[in-house]
Amino acid sequence: MNREDFINFSGFTQPGRISLPRASTSSTGSASGDSNAQEGLLPIANIGRIMKEVLPPEAKVSKRAKETIQECATEFIGFVTGEASERCRRERRKTVNGDDICHAMRSLGLDHYASAMHRYLQRYREGEELAAALNNRGRSPPLPDDDMIQIDVRAELSISRGHENHVRK
């Protein structure tokens, strides 16, 4: 079996996997105007918010740009999750976990993303342990935002890229 038989590059779907519906690309109907086309896609408002965060305040993002990123991000998540799901199926497990996602990213050649995701996952687990420890101390009432830990995945990815550039020199 060659690689083209296993992966359909036009839709990034693999045999036996669920294919996510794609947003309409016709000029007469847009993805946001057709509720059926939106089914299975990430929320466009969230996509727009994330896009605007990295742009200067005066920058504007077109509706079509948001729809394109919405489709790409949904495909990407489906592609990586499908690979992780395949691993779980081979191991006769029913639950995909963060380690499966990291492994899938590495097996798909997305090592930079896998490294950043692995660090995020480690910090998330540390935060969960800390929150559990604080909760087990029986404090009442808990202080606001006392148990909240925020991790910026984009910063993790740029750290990973910076490290790689440093290693190459």
Side-chain angles (χ1 to χ4, degrees):
M1 173 189 263
N2 65 29
R3 185 136 175 97
E4 286 76 25
D5 291 337
F6 186 68
I7 299 174
N8 172 0
F9 288 101
S10 64
F12 291 109
T13 56
Q14 298 177 355
R17 306 244 172 109
I18 297 171
S19 178
L20 297 170
R22 300 184 63 94
S24 170
T25 56
S26 71
S27 58
T28 57
S30 73
S32 59
D34 182 4
S35 62
N36 291 335
Q38 284 289 301
E39 192 174 310
L41 296 175
L42 297 170
I44 194 97
N46 295 358
I47 298 293
R49 194 175 311 112
I50 292 168
M51 291 174 76
K52 282 186 162 253
E53 279 180 17
V54 298
L55 295 172
E58 67 276 1
K60 296 191 184 308
V61 180
S62 73
K63 182 178 177 182
R64 185 65 195 133
K66 290 177 195 174
E67 290 171 348
T68 301
I69 295 297
Q70 178 188 36
E71 292 174 35
C72 292
T74 302
E75 281 288 327
F76 176 78
I77 291 169
F79 188 54
V80 172
T81 304
E83 184 70 23
S85 177
E86 184 63 26
R87 178 184 188 203
C88 290
R89 188 192 62 75
R90 283 192 309 268
E91 295 177 4
R92 291 180 167 70
R93 291 186 291 120
K94 293 183 179 181
T95 304
V96 174
N97 62 40
D99 294 319
D100 296 321
I101 298 295
C102 292
H103 184 271
M105 287 179 168
R106 281 191 181 86
S107 69
L108 293 168
L110 303 169
D111 296 335
H112 300 307
Y113 293 104
S115 297
M117 181 63 78
H118 182 72
R119 283 193 305 279
Y120 171 83
L121 193 55
Q122 283 179 314
R123 290 184 181 169
Y124 175 80
R125 288 174 177 161
E126 289 169 4
E128 289 292 305
E129 289 174 11
L130 178 62
L134 291 171
N135 287 336
N136 287 338
R137 285 192 352 207
R139 293 175 311 148
S140 106
L143 300 172
D145 296 334
D146 194 30
D147 296 340
M148 186 179 293
I149 295 177
Q150 293 182 350
I151 302 169
D152 186 355
V153 176
R154 287 178 298 227
E156 288 297 320
L157 187 56
S158 20
I159 290 169
S160 173
R161 286 184 182 150
H163 175 70
E164 179 200 79
N165 291 339
H166 181 69
V167 170
R168 285 185 192 171
K169 290 180 181 177

